[in-house]
Amino acid sequence: MANISKFDREDVLKKAKNLFWQKGFLATSTREIQTIMDMRPGSIYAAFGSKADLYNQTLIHYAQTSASNLNDKIEQNDYVWDGLKQYLRSLMAPCSETVPSELCMLMRTLAELDESHQETLSIARDLLTQVEHRFANIIEQAQNEGDLPAQLDKHKLAKKLQVHIIGLRSYLKATGDTETVSQQLEEFFIQIQS
């Protein structure tokens, strides 16, 4: 068995995730991965596998972090719809140290990679589907709480929400216009509730 130096797996995955999220899979070199993770190639391989294996793990880490952030926002609010709105507002942020790209990492992956990266594409698609199902569950709960009209189809609305988020984040990436993005998001919330 390989002798792997002790390291904080969560911290290392976070660093790798942010690097991949900023640069993409193809543009990230193994040297950059070694530098950001502060690990030797053998240790990285022993702990995470290939570059593709590491990337797949960072995608899952990204999704878990996003789900945790969503759950936190919901717990901080009395109503799930308010929590979801607060979470969606937080997604419309320009690049920063904690948000290396305005684009969702899952969407960036789907846009960047072709079918020769089938396993990674499948992971990204599955994670997006999980987000959509989570949105549908939140919408149903918001309907039960009286914050959304009961006649709305939760599955259609969850899809519409996904499309809207992807579009707004892409627009933010292209223009940097946070004011327009925020305004469009608020108008979307009003439209859904009416």
Side-chain angles (χ1 to χ4, degrees):
M1 244 170 89
N3 183 13
I4 301 172
S5 306
K6 290 190 177 185
F7 64 94
D8 182 339
R9 185 176 179 82
E10 178 75 17
D11 183 56
V12 167
L13 271 177
K14 180 180 175 184
K15 288 176 181 175
K17 173 196 73 180
N18 287 348
L19 176 64
F20 281 130
W21 190 6
Q22 178 185 31
K23 298 193 74 175
F25 175 76
L26 299 175
T28 302
S29 71
T30 50
R31 168 103 37 226
E32 289 171 312
I33 294 168
Q34 293 167 31
T35 301
I36 199 79
M37 294 173 71
D38 194 24
M39 293 175 74
R40 293 186 175 160
S43 296
I44 294 172
Y45 184 79
F48 299 100
S50 68
K51 176 183 170 184
D53 293 333
L54 173 61
Y55 189 82
N56 293 345
Q57 291 177 58
T58 64
L59 279 179
I60 293 166
H61 184 269
Y62 171 85
Q64 289 170 339
T65 301
S66 296
S68 178
N69 290 341
L70 173 56
N71 291 337
D72 289 347
K73 299 290 187 212
I74 287 173
E75 288 175 16
Q76 293 165 5
N77 286 275
D78 292 332
Y79 299 97
V80 294
W81 180 240
D82 291 337
L84 179 59
K85 289 193 301 187
Q86 189 178 0
Y87 170 75
L88 297 176
R89 288 178 184 122
S90 74
L91 294 180
M92 304 303 154
C95 281
S96 67
E97 192 174 305
T98 56
V99 182
S101 173
E102 292 90 346
L103 294 176
C104 163
M105 187 174 176
L106 301 176
M107 286 310 303
R108 182 183 182 118
T109 300
L110 293 171
E112 177 187 17
L113 301 181
D114 62 24
E115 295 304 318
S116 66
H117 298 92
Q118 190 56 51
E119 181 182 0
T120 302
L121 292 175
S122 293
I123 290 169
R125 288 177 182 133
D126 183 56
L127 292 170
L128 275 174
T129 300
Q130 289 177 35
V131 171
E132 196 172 290
H133 290 312
R134 179 72 172 116
F135 285 167
N137 291 336
I138 291 169
I139 290 163
E140 181 179 34
Q141 193 173 343
Q143 288 172 313
N144 293 337
E145 292 175 352
D147 286 329
L148 290 178
Q151 72 272 14
L152 290 174
D153 182 316
K154 66 180 181 179
H155 298 291
K156 286 183 182 176
L157 183 54
K159 288 180 189 304
K160 188 173 184 176
L161 199 53
Q162 280 276 58
V163 169
H164 209 71
I165 293 164
I166 291 165
L168 287 176
R169 290 183 81 174
S170 297
Y171 184 83
L172 180 61
K173 172 77 173 165
T175 66
D177 188 349
T178 54
E179 185 177 334
T180 296
V181 167
S182 296
Q183 180 185 353
Q184 289 290 318
L185 184 63
E186 296 307 318
E187 288 176 8
F188 183 66
F189 292 151
I190 292 167
Q191 190 181 56
I192 291 170
Q193 288 181 269
S194 58

